[in-house]
Amino acid sequence: MLKLNLGQKIKNLLDVFTEELKSIYKDGLISVILYGSASSGEFVDTHSNLNILVILKDNSLESIKKAAGLSGKFKFRMFSALFFTEEFMRASCDVFPIEFIDIKENYKILYGRDVLEGMTIDLKNLRFQCEHELKSRLIYLKQRYLALHKDRSSLQALLFKSATSVIHILRNVLRLKGKEPAYLKEDVLRQISGEFKINAEAWGKILAAKSKKIRLKAQDSNSLFNDFIKDLEAISVVLDRL
């Protein structure tokens, strides 16, 4: 189990949120689980969400609606909660292997039973989702490029957003190749560079510009986008053969 590396204000909010859920659902609440950046150490107070998995005995609309007032409170504006039953969660591992691997990788039980313990993910299902996600993004990016190639700021915004989601997918492609992926994006990029013939310099520029460490020149947007697409096409070919 992880030790939370969060400020006291955030910890207090998590405690209050959990106590209110317990008050609302009583015996119907099985678990409250924190996952994502807040449990991994990457949480940024002004930018990150607090991702919460709420496991209920009943997650019908009527049951979930009981928490509407809680989720609408301003002090909980950074909270992003998913409401599942244990049965639904376990039956969904084959459809969302990336998401559940991510949850299992970094989580903290705030209340109740550890329903994630013993959950296994079939790597065959992981390969199918990685391929689907990667190729879907390729199709979308090419489609959007037609509309945005002359709009520098919009093209950059699309590139920045896409790079983050693609690196997330490629973390799991590394798993398919028998590697233990790093967590930080920059470290994952180094691992990807070692496994695939990508333009690491271009990807590094994209991440640096996204985090405002550098400012891209006017001509960079199209060239970086082009390099990014070529690399994704090459990786998708490798993924087909795994």
Side-chain angles (χ1 to χ4, degrees):
M1 208 60 67
L2 296 169
K3 181 179 179 180
L4 293 182
N5 183 27
L6 296 171
Q8 193 57 49
K9 181 180 178 181
I10 299 297
K11 289 181 179 178
N12 291 342
L13 274 177
L14 287 169
D15 289 342
V16 172
F17 189 80
T18 301
E19 288 301 317
E20 295 209 24
L21 284 172
K22 288 163 65 176
S23 177
I24 291 169
Y25 291 108
K26 300 180 172 57
D27 291 342
L29 181 65
I30 296 174
S31 303
V32 181
I33 302 170
L34 176 72
Y35 68 96
S37 62
S39 58
S40 71
E42 275 202 310
F43 183 79
V44 179
D45 201 340
T46 55
H47 295 94
S48 301
N49 285 331
L50 288 164
N51 296 304
I52 308 289
L53 185 60
V54 181
I55 306 298
L56 303 172
K57 291 181 180 178
D58 171 21
N59 74 330
S60 65
L61 286 180
E62 283 301 313
S63 177
I64 293 174
K65 192 168 74 172
K66 293 177 183 178
L70 179 61
S71 60
K73 290 183 178 180
F74 180 77
K75 65 181 177 181
F76 297 135
R77 63 194 180 280
M78 67 178 69
F79 283 63
S80 179
L82 296 176
F83 292 82
F84 289 165
T85 62
E86 187 173 0
E87 294 76 15
F88 180 87
M89 181 186 69
R90 293 191 178 277
S92 302
C93 289
D94 56 341
V95 184
F96 303 111
I98 290 178
E99 289 78 4
F100 282 108
I101 285 176
D102 286 345
I103 291 173
K104 279 179 62 66
E105 188 175 53
N106 291 295
Y107 72 94
K108 171 72 175 178
I109 303 297
L110 301 179
Y111 168 78
R113 184 160 48 85
D114 186 352
V115 295
L116 298 171
E117 187 178 17
M119 179 187 291
T120 58
I121 310 294
D122 190 331
L123 289 186
K124 181 178 70 174
N125 296 323
L126 179 61
R127 194 198 75 78
F128 288 150
Q129 189 183 9
C130 286
E131 183 177 6
H132 177 269
E133 296 282 351
L134 191 62
K135 290 183 175 179
S136 295
R137 275 163 177 74
L138 263 173
I139 293 169
Y140 174 75
L141 287 170
K142 288 183 176 181
Q143 182 184 44
R144 294 301 297 149
Y145 182 76
L146 291 176
L148 301 177
H149 70 281
K150 292 183 179 180
D151 184 341
R152 175 190 170 193
S153 60
S154 296
L155 191 63
Q156 284 186 12
L158 177 62
L159 187 58
F160 295 161
K161 182 178 180 180
S162 300
T164 299
S165 60
V166 165
I167 289 174
H168 184 206
I169 298 167
L170 295 183
R171 286 189 75 246
N172 289 280
V173 175
L174 289 170
R175 295 185 198 278
L176 295 173
K177 291 177 70 63
K179 308 296 180 180
E180 184 66 32
Y183 195 84
L184 298 177
K185 289 186 284 293
E186 291 77 7
D187 295 334
V188 175
L189 180 56
R190 280 191 285 273
Q191 288 182 299
I192 294 168
S193 299
E195 291 294 324
F196 306 101
K197 294 179 180 179
I198 67 168
N199 187 334
E201 183 180 354
W203 287 60
K205 271 189 177 182
I206 294 169
L207 290 184
K210 183 180 188 298
S211 58
K212 301 188 185 304
K213 294 178 182 177
I214 65 171
R215 184 178 178 86
L216 296 180
K217 297 177 182 178
Q219 67 270 22
D220 284 341
S221 297
N222 272 280
S223 62
L224 288 175
F225 202 95
N226 184 59
D227 290 336
F228 187 64
I229 291 295
K230 284 182 178 178
D231 286 341
L232 293 190
E233 288 175 331
I235 292 171
S236 69
V237 172
V238 175
L239 187 53
D240 274 334
R241 296 169 181 166
L242 290 178

